[in-house]
């Protein structure tokens, strides 16, 4: 595999002629570069007008390699050829280097360029690129490749330091160096104007008299700041080493190279706006600086942004009223690292009500608007603090979290959001502080953690503590003046929604929800639609093979009323047949019995279970686990049950024997109840152990999230 390197632009705040003179001081030997043993000139050319100078050198290097590698290779030194082409007229130096030793086995090619800064003619820029291709090397190809990459990266960092050393040495003895003047051209400037005179500035640093360093430096800083805070980069911008250090952070030479590679490759092959440098760096980090994988990720994200018009979401999308009033999340100052901080009171969120009232699309847009806002806030923090801020913090308050938050469509909506964020906003989460975690939290974590990137999972810290202990722990991560009042601090969070139950009056109409049904909509793809008549209950048979599982369910009563019960049997029971959205009775009634059943008379004795009429409640074979609860038209119900025994659990919906409000006992349609439902079994193996670990940190410090344990039995609840 060919290894490549591409440097950012390194700037020397000295004229080109000074830099060139200092560069030549490195030859024929350079004690400051231990690997460089020496060099000899093999070819030299000077043009008649003195504008061009070409020199070839054979360089001897003492490569630091394991004794075994040198022994197998049979060499102590390796040799490279270097060709320097200096153009004094255009003020450029091009350097080409390639290996002489083992040229049939290894190809090493390096290209370097010195040139004048586009905005300041008295500054000099430097760029470098290289490639390494180990074809075969006595079976040690991988070892040689790793060795070469490591040594090359180490020497890159020394290059600028060494050249600056020689520049300082030169300035001790040289006050000016003439620029090249074409002898055949008409002289239009005086000798004094064409000379590069050096004087000391007020801070002692040598500067050229003709430049105006304070103004130009300020202009350059403004340009850098504008690039750092913009969401997108222009297509022609280049990366400067100083810009990377100040606005993106301290990167290794190879990390800088990968950033340059992906940026310049995208500029060359992609038309239109690109994510800014900070965001490109996030994609690289998410893919461990694998340029090919990160580039694929960026391409997919650019297409996705165009399809969903994400660039304009902050300007064009308006939050629905229900989100403004009932979504308990907001931006809230910053953490101790200077990262913007977002607070989400998840335990106060009515997941079902929010999804029922504004739909999946608006919740996704809400998340995208938060992420886009977060990118801008991180860039603004970078500008204000003068240090790179590339992520934000999230504080998740789980006070009030219960099994109702495990509503499957809500969890599926959350997973969809996580998938979108992972793909398009990687490495934006600096830390996640999960506070006041209840015993049910491990179940939720079990459901969502497999969909969160491993690097992000490591940033989650959980605490089940409260009161003073929690405040003390939060002070390690957040300045005391910014700790929210509901977590024991004094800072008010007045811009957050209230949370709490969303009124059913704000729900979207059932017809509108059903009309929006699609395979990608978790609100509809999860549920089973069915109907029950008086005397003909709907029964769902659920075999539980292992004790300790948690059975969760959710249903909505769409028309008329019904009762819900949960039974347990030690017997094996077959699931009733379903036809046309309703279950067929196992016992066929004659017309007289059907009329009697409709009237609610006693001439027909209904079995406790339609699917197993021979079983009777109160016997060892059948018991009631959840007593009948009446639900009216429009009710929604979420519940859970801790299955302490292995066996068969049966969920049953039936029309009650007497239903108020019906004008005719022979109106069979009025005794039909329509509903949608779903259920899920949470296997105890998936969350065993987490509650115990949560308990261990409930009153102490934050700790990393451990593997998931069965929660305590939930309580059925209307919502």
């Amino acid at each position: 595999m060919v290894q490549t390197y591409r440097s950012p632009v390194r700037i020397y705040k000295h004229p080109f002629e000074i830099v060139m003179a200092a560069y030549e001081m490195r030859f024929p030997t350079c004690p400051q570069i231990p690997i460089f043993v020496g060099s000899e000139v093999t070819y030299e050319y000077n043009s008649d007008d003195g504008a061009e100078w070409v020199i070839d050198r054979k360089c001897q290097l003492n490569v630091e390699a394991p004794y075994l590698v040198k022994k197998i290779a049979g060499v102590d030194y390796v040799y490279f050829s270097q060709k320097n082409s200096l153009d004094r007229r255009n003020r450029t130096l091009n350097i080409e280097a390639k290996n002489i030793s083992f040229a049939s086995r290894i190809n090493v090619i390096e290209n370097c360029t010195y040139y004048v800064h586009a905005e300041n003619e008295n500054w000099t820029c430097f760029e470098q690129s290289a490639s390494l291709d180990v074809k075969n090397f006595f079976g040690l190809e991988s070892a040689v490749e790793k060795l070469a990459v490591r040594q090359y990266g180490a020497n890159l960092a020394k290059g600028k330091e060494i050249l600056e050393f020689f520049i300082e040495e030169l300035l001790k003895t040289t006050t000016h160096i003439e620029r090249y003047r074409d002898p055949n051209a008409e002289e239009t400037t005086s000798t004094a104007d064409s000379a590069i005179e050096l004087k000391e500035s007020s801070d002692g640093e040598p500067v050229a008299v003709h430049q105006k360093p304070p103004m130009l430096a300020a202009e350059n800083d403004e340009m850098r700041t504008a690039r750092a805070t913009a969401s997108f980069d222009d297509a022609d911008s280049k990366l400067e080493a100083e810009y990377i250090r100040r606005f993106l952070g301290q990167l290794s030479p190879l990390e800088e190279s990968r950033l340059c590679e992906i940026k310049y490759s995208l500029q060359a092959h992609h038309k239109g706006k690109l994510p800014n440098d900070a965001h490109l760096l996030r994609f690289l980090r998410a893919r461990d600086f694998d340029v090919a994988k990160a580039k694929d990720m960026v391409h997919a994200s650019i297409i996705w942004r165009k399809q969903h018009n994400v660039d304009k979401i902050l300007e064009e999308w308006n939050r629905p009223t229900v989100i403004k009033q009932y979504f308990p999340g907001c931006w809230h100052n910053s953490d101790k690292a200077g990262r913007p901080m977002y607070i989400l009171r998840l335990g106060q969120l009515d997941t079902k009500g929010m999804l029922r009232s504004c739909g999946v699309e608006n919740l996704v847009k809400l998340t995208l608007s938060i992420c886009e806002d977060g990118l801008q806030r991180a860039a603004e923090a970078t500008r204000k603090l003068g240090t790179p801020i590339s992520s934000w913090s999230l504080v998740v308050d789980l006070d009030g979290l219960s099994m109702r938050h495990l509503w499957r469509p809500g969890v599926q909506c959350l997973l969809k959001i996580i998938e979108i964020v992972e793909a398009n906003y990687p490495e934006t989460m600096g830390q996640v502080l999960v506070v006041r975690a209840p015993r049910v939290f491990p179940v939720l974590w079990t459901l969502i953690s497999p969909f969160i990137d491993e690097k992000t999972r490591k940033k989650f810290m959980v605490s089940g503590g409260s009161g003073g202990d929690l405040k003390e722990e939060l002070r390690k991560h957040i300045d005391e003046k910014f700790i929210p009042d509901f977590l024991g601090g004094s800072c008010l969070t007045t811009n957050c929604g209230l949370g709490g139950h969303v009124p059913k009056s704000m729900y979207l109409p059932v017809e509108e929800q059903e009309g929006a049904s699609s395979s990608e909509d978790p609100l509809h793809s999860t549920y089973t639609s069915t109907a029950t008549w008086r005397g003909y209950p709907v029964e769902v048979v659920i075999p539980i093979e292992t004790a300790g599982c948690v059975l969760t369910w959710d249903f909505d009563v769409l028309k008329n009323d019904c009762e819900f019960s949960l039974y347990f049997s030690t017997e094996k029971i077959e699931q009733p047949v379903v036809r046309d959205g309703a279950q067929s009775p196992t016992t066929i009634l004659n017309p007289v019995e059907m009329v009697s059943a409709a009237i609610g008379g006693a001439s027909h004795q209904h079995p406790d279970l339609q699917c197993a009429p021979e079983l009777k409640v109160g016997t060892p074979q059948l018991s009631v686990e959840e007593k009948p609860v009446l639900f009216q038209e429009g009710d929604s119900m979420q519940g859970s049950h801790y299955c302490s025994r292995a066996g068969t659990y049966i969920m049953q919906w039936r029309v009650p024997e007497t239903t108020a409000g019906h004008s005719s006992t022979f109106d069979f349609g009025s005794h039909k109840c329509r509903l949608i439902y779903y259920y899920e079994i949470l296997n105890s193996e998936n969350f065993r152990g987490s509650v115990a670990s949560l308990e261990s940190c409930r009153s102490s410090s934050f700790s990393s999230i451990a593997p998931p344990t069965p929660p305590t039995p939930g309580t059925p609840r209307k919502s």
Side-chain angles (χ1 to χ4, degrees):
M1 180 179 176
V2 178
Q3 298 290 334
T4 59
Y5 171 78
R6 178 76 180 266
S7 77
V9 179
R10 305 191 186 280
I11 298 175
Y12 298 92
K13 296 182 180 180
H14 303 283
F16 179 79
E17 288 70 21
I18 293 292
V19 174
M20 290 300 96
Y23 174 79
E24 284 301 316
M25 293 172 67
R26 297 169 36 169
F27 299 99
T29 60
C30 183
Q32 289 79 11
I33 309 178
I35 193 175
F36 184 58
V37 178
S39 63
E40 60 177 292
V41 177
T42 59
Y43 171 81
E44 187 171 4
Y45 164 78
N46 277 288
S47 64
D48 294 338
D49 59 4
E52 298 179 23
W53 179 37
V54 179
I55 184 169
D56 289 357
R57 294 184 176 95
K58 182 180 180 181
C59 303
Q60 184 181 28
L61 305 180
N62 181 19
V63 179
E64 297 179 8
Y67 172 78
L68 178 60
V69 174
K70 288 189 173 183
K71 188 72 174 176
I72 293 175
V75 297
D76 290 323
Y77 302 102
V78 295
Y79 294 89
F80 277 74
S81 66
Q82 184 187 73
K83 179 180 180 180
N84 291 5
S85 302
L86 176 64
D87 185 341
R88 296 188 178 95
R89 181 183 293 106
N90 296 312
R91 304 177 77 192
T92 62
L93 171 65
N94 293 316
I95 305 170
E96 302 173 35
K98 61 177 65 176
N99 61 305
I100 299 173
S101 303
F102 308 108
S104 62
R105 298 177 179 273
I106 302 174
N107 284 339
V108 180
I109 301 174
E110 181 182 67
N111 293 280
C112 306
T113 304
Y114 289 87
Y115 57 94
V116 177
H117 195 286
E119 296 163 15
N120 188 336
E121 64 175 8
N122 292 310
W123 286 357
T124 304
C125 299
F126 171 75
E127 288 189 71
Q128 182 177 8
S129 63
S131 64
L132 167 68
D133 184 9
V134 182
K135 297 177 180 178
N136 65 80
F137 198 83
F138 312 106
L140 300 174
E141 292 80 12
S142 178
V144 170
E145 183 178 282
K146 292 178 181 178
L147 175 67
V149 170
R150 185 172 66 249
Q151 286 212 349
Y152 192 77
N155 289 322
L156 286 171
K158 299 178 183 177
K160 185 179 180 182
E161 296 176 9
I162 293 170
L163 184 54
E164 287 177 338
F165 166 79
F166 283 116
I167 290 174
E168 295 301 320
E169 290 295 307
L170 177 64
L171 295 178
K172 292 177 182 178
T173 58
T174 304
T175 58
H176 72 275
I177 297 179
E178 294 281 345
R179 284 190 189 175
Y180 171 80
R181 287 183 298 159
D182 192 336
N184 300 320
E186 184 178 348
E187 187 171 334
T188 58
T189 58
S190 66
T191 302
D193 289 336
S194 62
I196 306 298
E197 297 182 11
L198 300 173
K199 293 184 178 180
E200 282 194 353
S201 65
S202 57
D203 61 359
E205 183 176 344
V207 297
V209 223
H210 299 311
Q211 73 184 52
K212 298 179 181 179
M215 181 181 71
L216 288 173
E219 289 175 356
N220 205 33
D221 281 348
E222 288 177 5
M223 292 173 62
R224 288 171 176 164
T225 302
R227 282 178 57 192
T229 55
S231 298
F232 288 86
D233 247 338
D234 64 85
D236 300 320
S237 62
K238 279 194 171 185
L239 287 165
E240 297 177 4
E242 179 65 14
Y243 161 80
I244 291 176
R245 184 188 66 80
R246 288 183 58 186
F247 294 102
L248 303 182
Q250 194 66 45
L251 304 181
S252 71
L254 292 180
E255 288 173 344
E256 288 180 341
S257 169
R258 300 300 178 254
L259 180 58
C260 291
E261 287 180 46
I262 190 172
K263 179 181 177 70
Y264 300 151
S265 175
L266 288 169
Q267 285 178 344
H269 299 99
H270 180 79
K271 295 181 180 179
K273 296 187 298 184
L274 295 173
N276 68 9
D277 302 321
H279 208 37
L280 286 179
L281 186 57
R282 294 184 183 103
F283 284 103
L284 279 170
R285 284 174 170 153
R287 292 297 176 263
D288 296 320
F289 285 89
D290 185 311
V291 174
K293 292 181 180 178
K295 192 159 61 174
D296 289 343
M297 198 176 180
V298 172
H299 275 304
S301 183
I302 290 173
I303 294 171
W304 170 82
R305 294 183 72 91
K306 287 182 178 179
Q307 289 175 341
H308 297 86
N309 200 26
V310 177
D311 296 344
K312 297 181 180 179
I313 194 166
L314 291 179
E315 296 83 20
E316 296 183 353
W317 180 70
N318 294 316
R319 296 189 176 193
T321 302
V322 66
I323 290 180
K324 293 178 181 178
Q325 294 182 359
Y326 292 96
F327 183 77
C330 61
W331 290 102
H332 179 75
N333 299 298
S334 59
D335 66 7
K336 282 193 171 181
R339 293 174 294 213
M341 183 167 62
Y342 194 85
I343 294 178
L344 176 61
R345 303 186 68 178
L346 186 60
Q348 303 301 313
L349 177 65
D350 180 2
T351 310
K352 185 171 185 177
M354 194 64 64
L355 197 54
R356 288 283 189 200
S357 58
C358 64
V360 176
E361 182 179 357
N362 274 311
L363 289 181
V364 171
K365 287 183 177 180
L366 170 65
T367 305
L368 299 184
S369 68
I370 293 171
C371 290
E372 290 294 307
D373 196 4
L375 292 179
Q376 293 186 6
R377 288 172 181 268
E380 182 65 16
T382 298
R383 185 187 65 80
K384 284 185 177 180
L385 300 176
T387 187
I389 302 293
S390 62
S391 59
W392 53 82
S393 285
L394 176 63
V395 178
V396 183
D397 179 20
L398 297 184
D399 183 48
L401 188 78
S402 66
M403 293 299 288
R404 67 186 176 89
H405 288 89
L406 303 184
W407 182 52
R408 171 54 65 176
V411 173
Q412 287 185 328
C413 181
L414 177 60
L415 296 181
K416 179 179 180 179
I417 288 172
I418 290 174
E419 181 182 3
I420 292 172
V421 172
E422 290 282 348
N424 299 283
Y425 301 94
E427 295 297 308
T428 53
M429 200 66 68
Q431 69 175 357
V432 182
L433 301 178
V434 181
V435 300
R436 300 199 286 188
R439 290 175 60 87
V440 73
F441 169 65
V443 184
L444 177 62
W445 180 249
T446 298
L447 295 175
I448 67 172
S449 61
F451 299 90
I452 301 176
D453 180 77
E454 182 180 358
K455 290 183 179 180
T456 304
R457 288 202 302 267
K458 292 179 180 179
K459 299 172 185 176
F460 277 72
M461 303 293 288
V462 63
S463 171
S466 59
D469 291 336
L470 176 59
K471 182 180 177 181
E472 286 302 310
E473 281 306 309
L474 286 173
R475 287 174 60 186
K476 298 177 182 178
H477 305 274
I478 307 170
D479 286 335
E480 185 170 1
K481 62 182 179 180
F482 293 148
I483 297 177
D485 51 349
F486 59 86
L487 294 179
S490 57
C491 191
L492 299 177
T493 52
T494 56
N495 57 334
C496 279
L498 299 175
H501 284 285
V502 177
K504 288 187 173 64
S505 59
M506 302 185 78
Y507 282 18
L508 297 172
V510 173
E511 294 76 13
E512 185 175 332
Q513 294 180 30
E514 290 178 339
S517 178
S518 71
S519 58
E520 295 183 357
D521 186 351
L523 196 59
H524 304 92
S525 60
T526 308
Y527 285 90
T528 299
S529 178
T530 189
T532 176
W533 285 265
R534 179 175 295 177
Y536 298 94
V538 170
E539 295 171 343
V540 178
V541 177
I542 307 166
I544 299 293
E545 297 180 357
T546 307
C549 297
V550 175
L551 171 63
T552 67
W553 60 83
D554 177 85
F555 63 85
D556 286 2
V557 181
L558 304 181
K559 184 178 180 181
N560 290 330
D561 306 342
C562 71
E563 286 181 348
F564 173 76
S565 308
L566 179 68
Y567 295 88
F568 171 77
S569 176
T570 56
E571 304 296 318
K572 183 177 180 181
I573 302 174
E574 297 294 329
Q575 175 65 44
V577 178
V578 177
R579 295 191 182 95
D580 300 325
Q583 292 179 359
S584 301
T586 55
T587 302
I588 306 299
L589 304 182
N590 60 43
V592 175
E593 290 174 323
M594 291 181 64
V595 172
S596 176
I599 298 174
S603 63
H604 177 74
Q605 183 65 39
H606 300 308
D608 294 315
L609 289 179
Q610 193 74 39
C611 59
E614 70 281 2
L615 299 179
K616 302 297 181 184
V617 171
T619 63
Q621 291 79 25
L622 185 64
S623 60
V624 178
E625 295 291 293
E626 301 283 352
K627 294 181 178 179
V629 178
L630 177 65
F631 294 90
Q632 298 177 336
E633 181 176 317
D635 279 348
S636 296
M637 191 269 188
Q638 294 169 257
S640 62
H641 184 82
Y642 180 69
C643 302
S644 59
R645 297 174 287 174
T648 303
Y649 289 80
I650 306 97
M651 296 192 300
Q652 183 189 79
W653 293 267
R654 67 163 69 232
V655 174
E657 292 302 319
T658 56
T659 303
H662 298 314
S663 58
S664 172
T665 56
F666 290 96
D667 182 4
F668 290 95
S670 66
H671 298 285
K672 174 185 176 182
C673 176
R674 288 180 55 232
L675 61 118
I676 56 174
Y677 73 90
Y678 93 93
Y679 72 92
E680 181 180 10
I681 302 168
L682 304 178
N683 196 318
S684 61
E685 293 296 328
N686 294 335
F687 47 87
R688 181 168 294 156
S690 279
V691 168
S693 29
L694 271 176
E695 286 298 316
S696 68
C697 66
R698 290 187 71 82
S699 59
S700 54
S701 61
F702 284 101
S703 63
S704 296
I705 297 178
T709 333
T712 54
T715 303
R717 175 175 183 173
K718 289 187 183 182
S719 61

